[in-house]
Amino acid sequence: MDLQVFWFGLLGVLVAGYAILDGFDLGVGILHPLVKGDRERRIVINSIGPLWDGNEVWLVTFGGALFAAFPEAYATFLSAFYLPIMILLFALIGRAVSIEFRSKQKSRFWRRYWDWSFAFSSFMVVFLFGVAAGNAIEGIPIGADREFAGQLGDLVGWYPLAVGLFAAIAAAMHGALYLHLKTEGALQERIAAWRWPAFGLFLVAFMGVTIATLARHPHALRNFEQYPLAWVVVALTVLAIANIPRAIVKGQPGLAFLSSCGTIMGLVFDFGMALFPNLVVSSLDPSFSLTIRNASSSEATLALMRNIAFLGMPFVLTYTVIVYWVFRGKTKLDDFSY
Amino acid sequence: MDFDPVTLSRVQFALTVMFHYLFPPLSIGLGAIMVLLEGTYLKTGDRRYEAATRFFTKLFAVNFAVGVATGIVMEFQFGTNWSTYSRFVGDVFGSALAAEGIFAFFLESGFLAVLVFGWDRVGKKMHFFSTLMVFLGSTFSAVWIVIANSWQQTPAGFHLVGEGAAMRAEITDFWAMVFNPSAMHRLNHVLLGSLLQGAFFVMSLSAFYLLKKRHVGFAKRTFTVALVLGFVSSITILISGHAQANAVAENQPAKLAAFEGHFETGEGGADLYLFGWPDEEAREVKLGVALPGMLSFLIHGDTETPVKGLDRIPDDEEPPVAVPFVTYHLMVALGMFFIGVTSLALFLRWRGTLWDQRWLLKVFVVAVAGPYIANQTGWVAAEVGRQPWVVYGLLKTQDAASPSVPGEQIFASIVLFSLIYLALGALWVVVMNSKIQHGPEDPEGGDAEGHEGQIAVAADVLDPASPHHLTGRAAPEEA
């Protein structure tokens, strides 16, 4: 087995898992201020209450796995994006704290503050991940010493910002489809009405970003030329997107949400195809780019970590299934709710 | 103003890791106590233990959330601020971190959901299982991170590849890396420190209830459980600390010399300072009281054999002395205090007079600060004592930072971290306090003992004939 390719794939799985799972709870966060009234806002928060923390572990594990498998890419990427990463960390802290503390005091001001903090930090998290993904495709100034050789301004071109916005819109749509599943009654009816504008925005943003990517970065397609079978996944992604309105119309909200999950999975795959075999692209000189070949840990460590991953993954899937099973069904408020 | 990126990154790391480390030890220690309480409930069916577990679950959840929020910073900070370090250790350190994610964090976070939100959704056996898994998960996370840190103290199971700036460590023997010479000593010490944290936390709030005559039955039960745990942990942590100090003497003599303020090797036995102030200029301990030959005795088993001092360490490999000396001695002194105060309380509990000792209960209310300080100072001593190395003998801290990150940006992030953590610390205190003030719910069917206790206290205090009338000096005998 080509271990470096295996680890690139496994990191892709972790990103997809993170994007699908934390994607909906971040999306719920973005939509949160649209819900009025304290009881309904609590239902919205509690719809992700037992789940968001576990979803975030996918990110933590991705960070650890990137560090272990491709330490050079971990070091270069994180130090290059110093301030954006710091803002991301503040947003992740702010989000955890907002969820945890919002309903712990009765004061209106207190709750309203945390409501906005929850929404803003959720938006920032998705947005910054999108900006990072955009920069990964676009390339950043990396020198021969594998260190960032640019300025903060090099990280905020219009293309990465557009990808960031797209990510936020996609999460919002994903979150709306999820919320529809977890709510009932009048609240559910209102959320049902949001799904159309959310999908419309998503469709526009998706097409915009796709066109921009192809126009600006035609090399994103080079792997598709080499592996034409990958087009099948692109076709499936498009079908998954098309299935979202179809499922909504046919009154199958579960299927609509699953289609949205499939869409995200497909988008992560496309992103991986556009990047492979690079991890961090240098805009100064392609030979300075960090790839899965020149940035990885030793073969022995990659093999060892693969075994650890194979050992651990069944457990991870079991816990995930148990938790989602225990907390299935409509969200109800009780003594232990947020 | 001069922004030295390395110094600033060190400040930021110290700030973020020390703040983070306020929370995980309590999660581990409180988790252990919840396992004990809920296990008792499962075995006896006594619903008062269920009520106690439910109460602690709420405190646990708040503490855990802040721990997670501040912990995620640590995961990424190696890359943002210490890119050279990350390249050097990624093969080794990254592996431990990834194992932590897969084996510990998923376990912890998954079952935490059932523990906190699942009381009415799963059966009581499944719930107990979840509590146990959360405790195991938080323990596992300590395991992997302590292994990774211990590898930095006593690297093993690796070889170096590459030259100069491109040099890095690669694993050659995974188990030798995991069981590096200091790993198990330090792991024991960290876990016992966490149990002490949990025990003193529970004793503090129980003592508070006893003094206020609230939830008396509850408080007596939880105090007793925590007292036993605290006593056992404080004794075993002394043994663990002794074993660890011997290992430090063998593996990191410079660090031990810094702990003990041992500047000159000398001819005969080395003295053990009980306290003092190490003067790094004059290279001696001022205002100190020392036991002659005791350092040699603790390490070599006799009072005559010399112990390697800082004079035998090359100048450019010498750690600072004042900070490790002071923090190490503070930690040891607190350790002795834990043994003393828990032994005394246990003796009085056995004699049946503990609940009348209001002064001792007051001591326990504030003694919760002890393990916080000891856990922090222990780590400060361990990390500062390792300097100037970030990986002992292999990579210096000076050479480990990110070359591309400007000092101004680090300064900005330190300011923001300080503000956010200040607010977070205040929030933690406010919310924990309001939950403690609210106290446990009475279980269905009533907390017979607690009610009687409270009513008896109320009656007693209100009764003009009682010696306790309105003064509330002494609690009544336990029902």
Side-chain angles (χ1 to χ4, degrees):
Chain A
M1 188 190 313
D2 185 330
L3 284 164
Q4 289 155 333
V5 174
F6 169 81
W7 272 98
F8 186 86
L10 192 59
L11 287 175
V13 170
L14 288 170
V15 171
Y18 175 70
I20 290 171
L21 295 176
D22 218 26
F24 75 70
D25 70 55
L26 289 161
V28 166
I30 293 172
L31 298 171
H32 180 71
L34 296 177
V35 179
K36 305 296 175 198
D38 189 58
R39 208 189 74 87
E40 294 195 342
R41 285 192 173 174
R42 284 189 65 200
I43 287 179
V44 167
I45 288 188
N46 282 288
S47 75
I48 61 166
L51 306 172
W52 70 271
D53 181 34
N55 295 344
E56 213 170 277
V57 174
W58 288 80
L59 171 66
V60 174
T61 304
F62 169 79
L66 181 67
F67 194 178
F70 303 109
E72 296 278 347
Y74 169 88
T76 299
F77 196 80
L78 288 175
S79 58
F81 284 82
Y82 186 83
L83 272 192
I85 295 287
M86 289 299 143
I87 297 169
L88 173 72
L89 293 174
F90 297 140
L92 286 170
I93 293 174
R95 192 164 179 274
V97 171
S98 306
I99 296 173
E100 186 61 39
F101 289 141
R102 179 201 176 273
S103 305
K104 295 279 194 289
Q105 302 283 330
K106 289 229 160 20
S107 147
R108 250 179 83 126
F109 174 77
W110 171 279
R111 293 194 170 188
R112 189 153 296 178
Y113 173 79
W114 291 118
D115 281 339
W116 283 103
S117 160
F118 176 44
F120 181 68
S121 53
S122 299
F123 170 80
M124 283 308 285
V125 171
V126 195
F127 178 71
L128 286 169
F129 279 126
V131 172
N135 274 311
I137 299 290
E138 187 126 302
I140 54 175
I142 298 295
D145 60 353
R146 302 187 161 184
E147 293 289 346
F148 182 59
Q151 305 292 326
L152 192 56
D154 297 328
L155 305 174
V156 287
W158 68 266
Y159 175 76
L161 295 181
V163 178
L165 210 56
F166 168 59
I169 291 170
M173 176 192 72
H174 193 48
L177 296 174
Y178 172 81
L179 264 185
H180 184 267
L181 285 176
K182 299 296 279 186
T183 50
E184 51 198 336
L187 177 60
Q188 189 188 32
E189 278 170 31
R190 261 174 292 139
I191 290 166
W194 299 348
R195 295 179 299 172
W196 287 109
F199 179 75
L201 269 176
F202 169 80
L203 203 59
V204 171
F206 169 72
M207 292 198 289
V209 165
T210 306
I211 292 166
T213 306
L214 295 179
R216 211 172 148 80
H217 302 291
H219 64 274
L221 288 179
R222 68 197 181 284
N223 285 316
F224 289 94
E225 284 156 20
Q226 205 176 342
Y227 310 101
L229 263 182
W231 285 110
V232 175
V233 182
V234 176
L236 287 175
T237 313
V238 173
L239 283 178
I241 294 174
N243 201 43
I244 295 172
R246 181 173 163 272
I248 295 177
V249 170
K250 291 183 75 177
Q252 295 168 314
L255 189 63
F257 179 67
L258 283 181
S259 303
S260 175
C261 295
T263 303
I264 294 174
M265 215 186 297
L267 291 174
V268 172
F269 178 84
D270 295 343
F271 172 70
M273 287 300 281
L275 200 58
F276 185 84
N278 295 310
L279 293 165
V280 186
V281 178
S282 171
S283 57
L284 300 179
D285 182 339
S287 70
F288 297 161
S289 294
L290 297 176
T291 70
I292 61 169
R293 303 298 174 200
N294 67 19
S296 83
S297 284
S298 65
E299 286 281 310
T301 297
L302 292 179
L304 175 83
M305 293 303 301
R306 173 200 59 200
N307 298 344
I308 287 180
F310 279 146
L311 192 67
M313 271 302 173
F315 288 102
V316 170
L317 293 177
T318 312
Y319 310 148
T320 309
V321 169
I322 289 177
V323 172
Y324 277 79
W325 176 252
V326 168
F327 296 99
R328 69 194 180 279
K330 304 291 182 190
T331 302
K332 303 251 197 283
L333 299 181
D334 62 34
D335 271 1
F336 288 90
S337 300
Y338 282 121
Chain B
M1 196 166 164
D2 186 28
F3 294 103
D4 172 33
V6 178
T7 309
L8 288 169
S9 284
R10 291 185 66 187
V11 169
Q12 178 163 316
F13 197 87
L15 171 73
T16 51
V17 80
M18 286 175 75
F19 187 77
H20 171 61
Y21 203 65
L22 291 171
F23 308 101
L26 181 58
S27 292
I28 296 174
L30 195 54
I33 287 175
M34 284 157 57
V35 167
L36 292 176
L37 289 172
E38 197 173 4
T40 309
Y41 162 58
L42 206 63
K43 204 168 165 210
T44 63
D46 186 339
R47 302 209 58 165
R48 293 173 303 182
Y49 285 96
E50 187 200 12
T53 316
R54 280 180 184 243
F55 170 64
F56 284 121
T57 300
K58 292 192 171 189
L59 299 177
F60 182 91
V62 174
N63 189 66
F64 190 90
V66 182
V68 167
T70 54
I72 203 160
V73 174
M74 306 316 303
E75 167 112 34
F76 293 99
Q77 203 170 210
F78 301 113
T80 53
N81 292 63
W82 303 98
S83 70
T84 310
Y85 162 86
S86 299
R87 295 176 208 280
F88 184 86
V89 302
D91 202 284
V92 180
F93 196 97
S95 305
L97 216 57
E100 179 161 355
I102 285 189
F103 293 125
F105 291 152
F106 274 114
L107 180 65
E108 215 175 357
S109 67
F111 286 102
L112 178 78
V114 182
L115 165 62
V116 176
F117 301 100
W119 282 102
D120 305 324
R121 284 181 170 258
V122 296
K124 57 184 184 179
K125 280 188 184 151
M126 176 65 188
H127 193 275
F128 175 67
F129 179 73
S130 305
T131 311
L132 192 62
M133 288 302 114
V134 170
F135 170 63
L136 264 187
S138 55
T139 308
F140 285 166
S141 65
V143 170
W144 289 102
I145 200 66
V146 171
I147 284 173
N149 181 275
S150 296
W151 184 85
Q152 284 177 251
Q153 311 279 352
T154 52
F158 71 101
H159 67 162
L160 293 175
V161 294
E163 295 281 321
M167 189 164 72
R168 56 202 197 91
E170 284 183 354
I171 301 176
T172 51
D173 180 345
F174 180 70
W175 295 111
M177 184 275 280
V178 168
F179 292 101
N180 67 70
S182 64
M184 293 303 123
H185 293 299
R186 302 177 81 240
L187 180 59
N188 285 338
H189 209 64
V190 159
L191 290 177
L192 288 167
S194 303
L195 293 181
L196 274 174
Q197 184 69 72
F200 273 83
F201 180 82
V202 172
M203 286 191 281
S204 171
L205 67 88
S206 304
F208 172 76
Y209 289 148
L210 288 168
L211 287 168
K212 294 275 173 190
K213 308 216 183 310
R214 284 160 33 190
H215 317 292
V216 171
F218 161 88
K220 287 179 179 176
R221 272 188 301 280
T222 51
F223 192 98
T224 305
V225 171
L227 177 58
V228 172
L229 183 70
F231 174 72
V232 173
S233 309
S234 66
I235 299 287
T236 38
I237 205 167
L238 178 71
I239 300 166
S240 133
H242 177 65
Q244 200 187 333
N246 283 351
V248 172
E250 192 181 326
N251 301 315
Q252 296 173 283
K255 187 198 255 189
L256 186 88
F259 284 172
E260 303 291 358
H262 188 44
F263 289 101
E264 301 296 329
T265 308
E267 297 291 312
D271 303 345
L272 182 75
Y273 281 97
L274 294 179
F275 56 86
W277 176 259
D279 186 332
E280 293 183 47
E281 298 276 303
R283 297 187 70 80
E284 60 179 12
V285 178
K286 298 235 163 105
L287 306 169
V289 169
L291 301 175
M294 269 311 279
L295 184 58
S296 292
F297 179 76
L298 283 175
I299 288 164
H300 299 300
D302 69 76
T303 57
E304 297 302 323
T305 315
V307 174
K308 196 171 175 180
L310 288 164
D311 55 337
R312 300 271 177 89
I313 309 293
D315 282 352
D316 62 342
E317 295 180 10
E318 214 176 270
V321 181
V323 172
F325 180 93
V326 171
T327 48
Y328 179 77
H329 278 77
L330 192 53
M331 175 191 75
V332 172
L334 283 165
M336 298 302 165
F337 165 73
F338 301 148
I339 294 177
V341 75
T342 51
S343 311
L344 177 62
L346 206 59
F347 174 72
L348 294 173
R349 179 70 181 84
W350 172 66
R351 291 284 305 273
T353 58
L354 174 62
W355 315 127
D356 303 332
Q357 310 291 334
R358 291 181 61 86
W359 70 272
L360 188 58
L361 294 177
K362 283 178 185 163
V363 168
F364 272 106
V365 171
V366 290
V368 65
Y372 277 112
I373 298 169
N375 278 320
Q376 295 281 339
T377 50
W379 271 105
V380 170
E383 294 293 283
V384 178
R386 190 193 57 228
Q387 303 300 326
W389 303 103
V390 65
V391 182
Y392 194 71
L394 298 176
L395 180 69
K396 287 196 171 163
T397 310
Q398 194 63 34
D399 306 322
S402 302
S404 69
V405 180
E408 290 80 0
Q409 294 191 10
I410 308 175
F411 184 77
S413 58
I414 291 176
V415 171
L416 275 167
F417 272 120
S418 307
L419 292 174
I420 289 174
Y421 283 0
L422 214 59
L424 205 49
L427 276 173
W428 184 89
V429 171
V430 167
V431 172
M432 290 296 261
N433 182 52
S434 83
K435 294 212 171 291
I436 292 170
Q437 294 292 350
H438 181 271
E441 305 290 341
D442 288 329
E444 257 174 30
D447 180 344
E449 189 189 333
H451 277 307
E452 278 169 22
Q454 279 167 316
I455 292 166
V457 169
D460 195 34
V461 169
L462 292 171
D463 179 3
S466 162
H468 305 132
H469 174 57
L470 293 181
T471 59
R473 279 262 157 68
E477 294 298 323
E478 188 173 0

